[in-house]
Amino acid sequence: VCACVCLTEGLQYYPRQRISNTSLIPSHGEETLSQGLQEIWFPSRQTDSSSVGQLKRMKRDWVIPPINVPENSRGEFPQDLNRSLRYSVTGPGADQPPTGIFIIHPISGELSVMKPLDREHISNFHLRAHAVDLNGNQVESPIDIVINVIDMNDNRPEFIHQIWNGTIPEGSKPGTFVMTVTSVDKDDPKTANGMLRYKIVSQNPESPTSNMFTINNKTGGIITVAAGLDREKVPQYTLIIQATDMEGNPMYGLSNTATAVIKVTDINDNPPEFTAETFFGEVPENRVNVIVANLTVTDKDQPNTPAWNTVYKITGGDPTGRFSVPTDPTTNEGLVTVVKPIDYEISRTYVLTVVAVNEVSLARGIHSPRQSTATVSIRVIDVNESPNFEPNPKLIKLEEGMQPESALTTFTAQDPDRFMQQTIRYTRLSDPANWLRIDPNTGHITTIAVLDRESPYVKDNMYSATFLASDSGIPPASGTGTLQIFLLDINDNAPHVYPQETEMCEKPEPNGFNITALDGDLSPNAGPFAFELANRPSDIQRNWTITRLSGDFAQLSLKIGFLESGIYEIPIIITDSGNLPMSNTSYLRVKVCQCDHNGDCTDQQHIVAAGLGTGAIIAILLFLVLLFVVWMKRRDKERQAKQLLIDPEDDVRDNILKYDEEGGGEEDQDYDLSQLQQPDTIEPDAIKPVGIRRMDERPLHPEPQYPIRSAAPHPGDIGDFINEGLKAADNDPTAPPYDSLLVFDYEGSGSTAGSLSSLNSSSSGGDQDYDYLNDWGPRFRKLADMYGGSDD
């Protein structure tokens, strides 16, 4: 069972309004009744959508709730059957958020509203009424109370956008849809409070009529109702649109307005029109990519659109296609341009017919006016043109060997300026071999040297020379022409032997080698060749023989089994096959040398015989000397690393000057320069700071005891001393594993030996035998020569 109560939104509190007495008892489920109320209002069940909100007044009625009495009661009689009840209400709006809107009197059961209601916030409330006795026992089952908030017209229509933008092409027919505007109303849309109607309040501008548009009053759709939309006259319309609720009732309805901006878009309804019927221009002859004239047009359509951009077409006056009219994208002008050279001598004027159209076609019903066609008159200016050689290049064929002062040909140029009286002069511009001369007036070409096909200036039998022709105009003009001379070969070169140098062993095996011939001429003035040995000297044919192998090759063989080493020049007569053959005696240089078991020359002259020049030989010798110097320096390092333990008085060598110390190799990069100092100035190892010792420096161990020589040793024991020193160094356990400086003895701060000249004057060494110095190598050979041998 449910009790339904309807309240009007916005109901005020004075201080409270009673809704009903909640001692509500179900009456067969049909109506919700109230006990203790004077009046109660219910929505009428016979109402339709148009009568929503009307209330039906019902008469006050009492409903006695059932009273339960237990049987066989023995209590005192009479018993009171009335019970005291307590009422309460629960649900949103009562004890749930939003709380405090509805309250109920616990004794009387009167239900009251305490605050104004807003249907747009909460349209109905669902409460539950409870009845309990004084002991808190439930008397009846809870009943539902539905409170509906009745709508009132308290909200104005609101447009979704305050400004609406739309477009319509110009020239559109009546009835063309433009756009739709929309408004909303928070009131109940099922009632008149939320039923909206639209209308156009104003139109600006009112041209060509004040009612160019209309609006559907229910949907808000805007359409055109009149013809005459012209963007060039009215580019934009502004409409004020009004929306009113209460179905548009101006007296009771609430209204609001918005703005509709309608832009009239462009169509190509205006063709381009030339600003003049005839345009003029001029251009020098032979000039290309030159703008001759600027064609201007007017177009009322929107700029920089396909309906405004103009395309120019030449329809007459240019059969050879020497002009074009591109469009300037900024100004929309037509640029009459020369694309092919114009010859003043052929045509002095041009009259072009040009048509202007848009990039897109005109709208239907629009035709191009007469002003869309114009003429362009162009005058050609005569200029001084360069003379032209004909033909260019010019080719002639002749035999080589033509003698100086021979006439070749006449190479002349034509002046294209037929209307100018001018003379032409000729000069030589390029003649690499300096063979030709040209007459400055007639262009007649003669030779000044012999034409040689074998010249380095001739490529593929062709020789090229360039000549210049200049007219007498102001300023003068000139042109160039090329003369190509194809030189035919004649037999003017004698053959010679190839190769010109070779080598062979004293006892050759095999005893012959092949030769051929070179000839600067071409076939048939070259090979096949004939080979023969000259008659002199007489030993040529005695020692050598030549055998022809083919038309180009022959074999030169040694008749005897042995030929002493040396250089031999063999004269060979070679004859070509030309018509009037040419012969030549050329010399073949043969190097005869001693050979190893592989048959290769072993003496140094083999280098020369092999074709190496003096520069190559010098380079090889310098390389060998460099290798020898490197080897000697390496020997010196080893010798310095293992110095002899000799007293300064007995040392016959020069004092060693310590210039630098080489490291032990790639591993040795941390040099200790203190090693270069004399031992008497170096710090003791005991006070040497840690961390500066080289990796290849000997550790701090007692120095090994090397053998000490006697005070005056015999010079003959030097070999034994060296061997003993080497043995001691090899057996030194403290030596590093790679090369390093091994100090055997301290040589002193200076030499204590006297001058070597004192050796010659010494009387004490007169009986000494110094011949053993010859066995000590080249360093002691001079001493052996001075003191060894006989007295002289």
Side-chain angles (χ1 to χ4, degrees):
V1 177
C2 175
C4 181
V5 179
C6 295
L7 299 178
T8 302
E9 66 171 327
L11 187 66
Q12 300 299 316
Y13 169 71
Y14 296 108
R16 66 179 184 179
Q17 283 188 305
R18 188 180 62 182
I19 299 177
S20 67
N21 190 311
T22 55
S23 57
L24 302 176
I25 302 301
S27 177
H28 308 289
E30 294 181 357
E31 294 287 352
T32 299
L33 303 180
S34 176
Q35 179 182 3
L37 286 179
Q38 297 297 324
E39 292 179 325
I40 187 170
W41 296 84
F42 291 91
S44 175
R45 292 189 178 182
Q46 289 76 25
T47 58
D48 54 340
S49 60
S50 61
S51 60
V52 174
Q54 296 180 358
L55 301 178
K56 180 180 180 181
R57 183 176 182 180
M58 300 190 67
K59 185 178 180 182
R60 182 186 63 184
D61 196 4
W62 289 90
V63 177
I64 304 301
I67 299 174
N68 297 323
V69 179
E71 66 178 337
N72 302 319
S73 175
R74 298 182 181 274
E76 293 182 1
F77 294 99
Q79 283 184 333
D80 188 6
L81 297 181
N82 293 327
R83 291 177 298 175
S84 297
L85 301 179
R86 296 292 184 269
Y87 300 97
S88 65
V89 65
T90 61
D95 61 343
Q96 299 178 17
T99 61
I101 297 178
F102 301 100
I103 63 173
I104 190 171
H105 194 279
I107 303 300
S108 64
E110 293 178 349
L111 182 63
S112 304
V113 59
M114 304 299 293
K115 297 179 181 179
L117 303 179
D118 187 359
R119 188 201 66 85
E120 287 71 39
H121 181 59
I122 300 177
S123 61
N124 54 65
F125 296 87
H126 293 267
L127 305 178
R128 300 204 73 183
H130 306 271
V132 297
D133 57 16
L134 296 178
N135 295 325
N137 297 320
Q138 180 176 307
V139 177
E140 294 291 342
S141 297
I143 63 173
D144 293 331
I145 303 175
V146 177
I147 301 174
N148 294 320
V149 183
I150 301 173
D151 183 42
M152 295 181 63
N153 190 16
D154 58 344
N155 290 280
R156 291 179 178 273
E158 296 289 341
F159 282 93
I160 297 178
H161 304 290
Q162 192 59 35
I163 298 178
W164 298 78
N165 294 302
T167 59
I168 182 69
E170 63 175 330
S172 297
K173 296 180 179 179
T176 304
F177 175 78
V178 180
M179 62 180 176
T180 299
V181 297
T182 304
S183 179
V184 295
D185 195 318
K186 296 180 181 180
D187 293 326
D188 190 356
K190 297 180 180 180
T191 66
N193 298 334
M195 295 180 180
L196 308 181
R197 297 295 183 263
Y198 300 92
K199 72 174 182 177
I200 298 176
V201 177
S202 64
Q203 169 189 312
N204 182 34
E206 298 180 353
S207 175
T209 63
S210 60
N211 56 346
M212 293 293 296
F213 305 93
T214 186
I215 188 170
N216 187 309
N217 65 345
K218 293 183 179 181
T219 64
I222 301 176
I223 61 175
T224 60
V225 292
L229 292 174
D230 190 347
R231 188 201 66 85
E232 288 73 36
K233 295 180 180 179
V234 181
Q236 177 177 295
Y237 289 91
T238 301
L239 306 180
I240 303 299
I241 309 298
Q242 184 183 64
T244 305
D245 58 14
M246 298 299 291
E247 297 182 289
N249 190 317
M251 181 176 296
Y252 302 104
L254 303 177
S255 62
N256 215 334
T257 60
T259 302
V261 179
I262 302 175
K263 292 184 179 180
V264 181
T265 58
D266 186 40
I267 64 172
N268 192 15
D269 57 345
N270 292 280
E273 299 180 9
F274 283 103
T275 59
E277 295 183 357
T278 304
F279 296 87
F280 300 91
E282 60 182 22
V283 59
E285 64 175 331
N286 300 320
R287 296 282 300 275
V288 295
N289 298 325
V290 178
I291 297 177
V292 178
N294 291 44
L295 310 183
T296 56
V297 296
T298 58
D299 194 318
K300 297 178 181 179
D301 292 320
Q302 185 174 357
N304 302 311
T305 62
W308 178 82
N309 297 334
T310 304
V311 178
Y312 300 88
K313 298 180 180 179
I314 299 176
T315 59
D318 186 24
T320 57
R322 299 186 180 274
F323 299 90
S324 69
V325 189
T327 303
D328 188 324
T330 303
T331 63
N332 209 27
E333 295 180 350
L335 309 178
V336 181
T337 308
V338 180
V339 295
K340 293 182 181 180
I342 301 174
D343 191 352
Y344 174 83
E345 284 69 30
I346 296 178
S347 178
R348 301 184 182 184
T349 58
Y350 287 87
V351 178
L352 309 180
T353 301
V354 181
V355 174
V357 296
N358 291 125
E359 289 183 357
V360 296
S361 301
L362 289 173
R364 182 178 299 179
I366 306 298
H367 301 284
S368 296
R370 179 181 177 184
Q371 291 81 356
S372 295
T373 302
T375 58
V376 183
S377 179
I378 302 173
R379 184 174 67 91
V380 182
I381 302 175
D382 190 16
V383 297
N384 188 19
E385 301 177 78
S386 302
N388 298 322
F389 284 92
E390 283 295 334
N392 191 14
K394 183 177 183 179
L395 176 65
I396 61 174
K397 295 184 179 181
L398 51 87
E399 288 187 348
E400 64 173 329
M402 182 172 289
Q403 298 301 313
E405 302 302 329
S406 299
L408 292 184
T409 184
T410 299
F411 196 24
T412 58
Q414 303 296 325
D415 192 346
D417 298 314
R418 300 193 306 269
F419 303 101
M420 299 182 183
Q421 301 298 325
Q422 299 182 141
T423 59
I424 299 177
R425 293 185 62 83
Y426 303 94
T427 56
R428 185 179 61 175
L429 188 62
S430 173
D431 184 12
N434 198 24
W435 285 347
L436 307 176
R437 179 177 59 237
I438 188 170
D439 187 283
N441 298 317
T442 63
H444 188 63
I445 299 176
T446 58
T447 62
I448 57 176
V450 177
L451 306 185
D452 184 8
R453 191 196 64 83
E454 290 73 36
S455 169
Y457 300 104
V458 178
K459 305 297 180 183
D460 298 329
N461 304 325
M462 191 75 70
Y463 180 77
S464 298
T466 305
F467 299 93
L468 182 69
S470 303
D471 60 21
S472 57
I474 301 176
S478 59
T480 59
T482 301
L483 178 65
Q484 294 179 335
I485 304 175
F486 188 87
L487 295 175
L488 303 175
D489 184 43
I490 63 174
N491 194 14
D492 58 344
N493 291 278
H496 59 274
V497 68
Y498 181 81
Q500 296 181 349
E501 295 182 357
T502 187
E503 65 178 22
M504 64 184 302
C505 299
E506 291 180 332
K507 295 180 180 181
E509 185 60 36
N511 65 347
F513 47 86
N514 295 339
I515 60 173
T516 185
L518 294 180
D519 195 323
D521 296 322
L522 301 176
S523 181
N525 296 322
F529 302 99
F531 302 88
E532 59 178 327
L533 295 175
N535 295 328
R536 294 182 182 279
S538 59
D539 60 343
I540 295 299
Q541 294 191 357
R542 182 172 64 249
N543 296 337
W544 304 87
T545 181
I546 191 168
T547 304
R548 182 178 180 184
L549 300 178
S550 64
D552 296 327
F553 294 92
Q555 187 178 64
L556 183 64
S557 305
L558 186 64
K559 290 182 178 181
I560 59 180
F562 175 82
L563 188 62
E564 186 179 357
S565 298
I567 304 297
Y568 298 87
E569 292 188 353
I570 312 300
I572 302 176
I573 302 174
I574 305 176
T575 305
D576 61 22
S577 299
N579 187 13
L580 298 176
M582 294 189 68
S583 298
N584 180 40
T585 300
S586 57
Y587 291 85
L588 175 64
R589 183 182 176 90
V590 180
K591 164 66 170 60
V592 180
C593 59
Q594 297 179 0
C595 297
D596 55 16
H597 64 279
N598 294 324
D600 299 326
C601 287
T602 58
D603 55 350
Q604 293 184 355
Q605 292 184 355
H606 165 73
I607 298 176
V608 179
L612 295 177
T614 304
I617 297 174
I618 294 175
I620 295 176
L621 292 177
L622 290 176
F623 180 75
L624 295 176
V625 171
L626 179 61
L627 291 179
F628 177 74
V629 170
V630 172
W631 178 76
M632 289 297 297
K633 287 186 176 182
R634 189 174 185 88
R635 291 277 313 269
D636 290 342
K637 292 179 186 178
E638 296 175 356
R639 189 177 299 109
Q640 293 176 7
K642 300 177 180 179
Q643 300 176 8
L644 299 178
L645 189 59
I646 304 176
D647 292 336
E649 294 80 2
D650 298 333
D651 190 0
V652 298
R653 299 170 298 166
D654 293 338
N655 290 335
I656 297 176
L657 300 179
K658 294 186 179 181
Y659 293 102
D660 202 353
E661 177 189 7
E662 295 251 351
E666 294 180 358
E667 302 86 355
D668 183 18
Q669 300 295 332
D670 185 14
Y671 297 105
D672 183 6
L673 300 181
S674 64
Q675 297 294 317
L676 303 179
Q677 300 177 1
Q678 296 289 357
D680 56 354
T681 62
I682 196 169
E683 296 180 3
D685 291 337
I687 63 175
K688 188 173 183 179
V690 179
I692 64 172
R693 183 179 300 278
R694 285 178 21 174
M695 296 301 297
D696 60 343
E697 185 178 349
R698 295 178 57 186
L700 300 177
H701 295 291
E703 295 291 336
Q705 299 297 324
Y706 295 101
I708 302 177
R709 297 183 53 199
S710 61
H714 191 277
D717 66 353
I718 186 67
D720 296 336
F721 175 80
I722 293 175
N723 292 329
E724 292 174 1
L726 292 175
K727 185 183 298 182
D730 294 336
N731 296 328
D732 183 9
T734 63
Y738 45 84
D739 292 343
S740 63
L741 181 62
L742 300 178
V743 181
F744 291 94
D745 196 6
Y746 171 51
E747 293 184 353
S749 59
S751 176
T752 59
S755 174
L756 292 179
S757 62
S758 63
L759 298 177
N760 190 27
S761 60
S762 175
S763 60
S764 61
D767 298 333
Q768 177 70 37
D769 183 10
Y770 292 99
D771 290 338
Y772 65 87
L773 295 174
N774 290 316
D775 299 331
W776 286 13
R779 293 176 177 267
F780 298 93
R781 189 169 297 168
K782 182 63 176 178
L783 294 176
D785 293 341
M786 296 174 59
Y787 297 96
S790 60
D791 295 340
D792 54 358

